[in-house]
Amino acid sequence: MNLIVRRGRVFPEIQWTEAQKAEDKARRQAFYERCWAIFERLKPEILDKYSDCYIAIEPDSGNYFIDRDQEVASKMAREKHPHVIHHIFGINETGVSGRI
């Protein structure tokens, strides 16, 4: 009989408090909202031309990168802004990345 041995947390020294979790969630939400505002501003002019493509947005500069391949759009953003986080949206009516 094989027993599964649980080894515990990967990094047991890292224990976030509820306040730290809430702060991180608020920071991520604020980042998303900044990117969403840029996406909403651009959507009328890019929706028809780039439908079913992906857009990577870097909110501090307002730069955006569009490609049919999500990974290529992300790579273009990383090349231009190597140490900055960007957000990916699908260019469609909902802005959702990925397909069902």
Side-chain angles (χ1 to χ4, degrees), residues 7-70:
R7 296 184 179 161
R9 297 178 60 94
V10 175
F11 298 104
E13 66 278 5
I14 300 174
Q15 299 291 324
W16 281 22
T17 65
E18 291 303 317
Q20 288 171 313
K21 291 177 189 177
E23 181 181 325
D24 183 61
K25 184 176 180 180
R27 182 186 50 77
R28 286 184 285 119
Q29 181 64 30
F31 177 78
Y32 168 80
E33 289 173 5
R34 289 174 42 221
C35 294
W36 182 255
I38 294 170
F39 177 68
E40 283 294 307
R41 180 176 47 84
L42 294 169
K43 192 159 68 167
E45 60 191 69
I46 64 173
L47 187 57
D48 290 334
K49 187 174 181 182
Y50 297 105
S51 185
D52 293 328
C53 290
Y54 294 93
I55 183 170
I57 298 175
E58 195 287 304
D60 293 331
S61 68
N63 291 344
Y64 59 93
F65 309 89
I66 299 173
D67 196 88
R68 284 219 168 276
D69 186 321
Q70 182 176 355

